[in-house]
Amino acid sequence: MKILFICRYNNFRSKVAKLFFDKLNKNPTVETKASGLIKAVHYSREQQQEALNKFGIRLEGVSELLDEDLYHWPDKIILVGDDIPATFFKELKAEGTEIIVWKLKDILPNDLDYKEKTQKLTESILKEVKKVEKELQ
């Protein structure tokens, strides 16, 4: 099973989902990747990491953009956000790829209470990841 987590920028939501899934997953046959649709240019990794410290995960690496190879790679796509058009993946769905949508709003660095909102978003991502991981056991 190949799972691709996608958010708008692959800067936070999809990366965090992948990190949590990889941390919890006990099934060695499941592969995961994370990607975004648009290159992120305005995020503060320091603010994000500060919010993630209590969860014991660390964001690393650069954002990966969805390309044609990655588009056709997964058996399951999880859209980790409410700002990604699921219709973009209708061809894959018709071919049998499972598409799941988590309606999670992005947090912008200039949002008031950024750290608190990011921690709540992270808790929501973890909750959704646990559901998927349990289904695959």
Side-chain angles (χ1 to χ4, degrees):
M1 166 74 63
K2 298 174 191 171
I3 301 173
L4 178 59
F5 296 97
I6 299 175
C7 68
R8 191 170 187 109
Y9 302 106
N10 186 228
N11 193 62
F12 187 81
R13 292 173 293 176
S14 56
K15 283 186 176 209
V16 169
K18 180 191 182 326
L19 288 167
F20 275 139
F21 187 88
D22 290 349
K23 186 175 182 178
L24 298 172
N25 180 41
K26 305 279 189 271
N27 185 341
T29 65
V30 177
E31 296 176 65
T32 61
K33 293 185 180 184
S35 179
L37 300 178
I38 302 168
K39 184 169 177 59
V41 293
H42 62 281
Y43 284 88
S44 166
R45 184 58 53 93
E46 293 80 24
Q47 284 182 302
Q48 291 173 333
Q49 188 57 55
E50 188 178 324
L52 290 175
N53 285 338
K54 82 173 211 172
F55 297 97
I57 58 175
R58 181 143 192 88
L59 287 176
E60 297 178 340
V62 297
S63 296
E64 183 171 343
L65 293 178
L66 186 65
D67 62 20
E68 189 171 348
D69 289 337
L70 196 52
Y71 179 83
H72 291 284
W73 176 80
D75 302 304
K76 181 183 298 220
I77 292 175
I78 300 178
L79 303 177
V80 189
D82 64 346
D83 54 357
I84 305 147
T87 55
F88 185 73
F89 303 95
K90 67 182 177 183
E91 172 191 337
L92 292 177
K93 188 173 183 177
E95 294 172 0
T97 301
E98 183 179 2
I99 311 293
I100 298 171
V101 179
W102 298 345
K103 296 202 177 265
L104 302 174
K105 293 197 176 299
D106 204 359
I107 311 295
L108 299 176
N110 59 350
D111 282 350
L112 296 176
D113 302 321
Y114 179 83
K115 183 178 176 182
E116 180 182 319
K117 287 180 180 180
T118 301
Q119 287 175 340
K120 286 182 182 179
L121 174 59
T122 304
E123 289 167 0
S124 296
I125 293 169
L126 178 57
K127 181 179 173 184
E128 295 297 331
V129 165
K130 284 180 177 179
K131 288 180 198 174
V132 172
E133 195 276 329
K134 187 175 181 180
E135 290 171 6
L136 294 175
Q137 287 182 353

